[in-house]
Amino acid sequence: MDNLLEVHDLCKSFHTDSGGLGGASRRLQAVDQVSFTLRKGETLGLVGESGCGKSTTGRLILRLLEADSGKVLFQGQDVLQLSQRQMRPLRREIQMIFQDPYSSLNPRMKVGDIIGEPLQIHGLARGSQLKEEVIRLMGTVGLTEEHYHRYPHEFSGGQRQRIGIARALAVRPSLIIADEPVSALDLSIQAQVVNLLQDIQKDFGLTYLFIAHDLSVIEHISDRVAVMYLGRIVELANAEELYRAPRHPYSEALLNAVPIPDPARKRTHIPLKGEVPSALNPPSGCHFHPRCPYAKEICNTQRPPLEDQGNGHLAACHFSDEVGQFGTF
Ligand code: SF4
């Protein structure tokens, strides 16, 4: 399968105020040598706790933020080297769906105009053709023509996310970066929106980077999953394999937090110690070592490389062979 997107060694840091009088600014490494590929038509789930750098990664790809270093190849073209003018056609090809649809929709615009705006900006439709296309898109995402003249505040959270999806679809993108698109929604609505995203993926031949903070949301939509911890990818594998046999203790801990609906299956909790450390002062060596039940001395000083453990299953752990000894299920 061809790669639509390749991300190589992407890095981004932010400078923050130390807060003290005359204090020097400090560096927060939000994204630290992140690499992955995205094949045409697949969904890669990018998962990790809040602040791990997953949303920043999405924004760097679209250049809503500028990366410090690395490469982002979209259809072979390095996005980070393009001028703003050269970026324009790419902004049509790569669309983003946001977590909070309300803040990403202009409250003073009617829904029909919100969905039609990108079509106008890119010169794809106007006049009666524009309206027809907008109504067609509204139908695709489960809205009706009578919603055309309404304002965003008249809709529920799930409906507003449908408006966001229709707007993203309008310009016929090939890649959608969905940044926690269902996190703000009730559980029952989450499933509806995920199903909608799966349906339109088939119908429109879309590729997804699906960002989420827990593994349960992306289980059914992801072909592969990448797990991030404090700015780094710590595991990347075929979804089925990662859920069945994780090779990194942090993925194992995230999986243990996913509720199992079947009472006959039980998970043994791994003792995940301590709090998430501050990204301003990350632990040395393997960032996960202060919380890791498998940690040994080497983990305090040496960063484990992200290595193929077989079958394209990547994990960054010195002792990945031992993962599972505490019993995942
Ligand atoms: Fe745990 Fe060491 Fe593996 Fe890091 S490298 S996840 S501390 S066992």
Side-chain angles (χ1 to χ4, degrees):
M1 217 190 295
D2 296 339
N3 288 333
L4 183 69
L5 184 79
E6 291 180 24
V7 174
H8 297 283
D9 289 325
L10 195 62
C11 291
K12 175 69 182 174
S13 60
F14 297 101
H15 289 276
T16 62
D17 242 340
S18 69
L21 269 180
S25 81
R26 295 163 78 192
R27 207 166 64 101
L28 185 154
Q29 191 68 45
V31 174
D32 188 1
Q33 296 183 315
V34 162
S35 300
F36 59 87
T37 58
L38 201 44
R39 302 165 192 149
K40 254 185 206 150
E42 81 164 340
T43 298
L44 177 69
L46 187 59
V47 78
E49 288 160 295
S50 148
C52 72
K54 56 194 190 301
S55 295
T56 304
T57 301
R59 283 169 163 73
L60 292 172
I61 292 168
L62 249 181
R63 290 192 51 196
L64 299 178
L65 287 169
E66 292 297 335
D68 297 340
S69 59
K71 269 190 185 159
V72 175
L73 303 179
F74 180 78
Q75 294 176 329
Q77 198 174 24
D78 191 351
V79 172
L80 304 187
Q81 300 303 319
L82 300 180
S83 67
Q84 283 305 324
R85 196 178 56 79
Q86 290 168 320
M87 273 299 289
R88 221 177 147 200
L90 244 85
R91 294 202 185 283
R92 184 181 151 191
E93 290 273 356
I94 310 174
Q95 289 290 307
M96 196 148 182
I97 300 172
F98 296 92
Q99 175 180 358
D100 178 2
Y102 196 54
S103 63
S104 61
L105 303 175
N106 186 336
R108 290 187 198 85
M109 282 172 78
K110 290 177 182 169
V111 164
D113 296 328
I114 289 173
I115 298 171
E117 189 182 40
L119 287 164
Q120 282 183 306
I121 290 173
H122 291 279
L124 298 173
R126 52 189 175 147
S128 60
Q129 194 204 352
L130 175 67
K131 186 166 183 185
E132 272 168 36
E133 180 60 13
V134 169
I135 290 169
R136 202 187 54 74
L137 282 161
M138 290 171 76
T140 302
V141 299
L143 298 170
T144 63
E145 192 172 345
E146 69 180 49
H147 293 129
Y148 190 97
H149 293 289
R150 297 207 193 150
Y151 291 92
H153 73 267
E154 298 177 67
F155 292 85
S156 67
Q159 284 175 317
R160 285 200 286 260
Q161 197 51 287
R162 287 173 191 271
I163 297 166
I165 293 169
R167 184 181 156 91
L169 265 187
V171 291
R172 295 297 174 104
S174 46
L175 169 63
I176 288 189
I177 298 173
D179 187 7
E180 304 231 28
V182 297
S183 303
L185 305 176
D186 291 344
L187 268 185
S188 58
I189 310 294
Q190 286 190 0
Q192 290 173 16
V193 173
V194 169
N195 288 343
L196 170 64
L197 287 167
Q198 281 182 304
D199 290 345
I200 59 172
Q201 180 170 37
K202 272 191 239 127
D203 296 345
F204 291 79
L206 295 167
T207 303
Y208 288 147
L209 180 63
F210 197 109
I211 297 169
H213 63 260
D214 80 64
L215 280 163
S216 62
V217 170
I218 55 165
E219 180 163 7
H220 299 295
I221 197 168
S222 301
D223 299 296
R224 291 185 303 143
V225 172
V227 178
M228 280 187 84
Y229 188 75
L230 284 179
R232 299 172 178 173
I233 290 185
V234 295
E235 184 159 9
L236 199 166
N238 169 282
E240 194 272 321
E241 202 176 307
L242 187 136
Y243 282 82
R244 184 176 46 79
R247 303 277 292 173
H248 194 282
Y250 179 59
S251 312
E252 189 182 31
L254 285 181
L255 275 170
N256 273 315
V258 174
I260 308 177
D262 179 355
R265 292 169 71 204
K266 280 202 183 115
R267 286 197 174 109
T268 310
H269 265 288
I270 306 173
L272 184 55
K273 301 177 282 183
E275 303 286 315
V276 184
S278 163
L280 276 170
N281 189 20
S284 57
C286 172
H287 284 346
F288 192 54
H289 81 254
R291 305 175 77 197
C292 180
Y294 302 90
K296 298 183 178 56
E297 212 173 321
I298 185 180
C299 307
N300 303 345
T301 52
Q302 287 192 30
R303 173 180 178 165
L306 187 64
E307 281 179 334
D308 195 339
Q309 314 277 323
N311 259 344
H313 188 147
L314 309 181
C317 174
H318 295 304
F319 302 102
S320 56
D321 285 343
E322 294 180 19
V323 176
Q325 73 174 30
F326 290 92
T328 306
F329 294 103

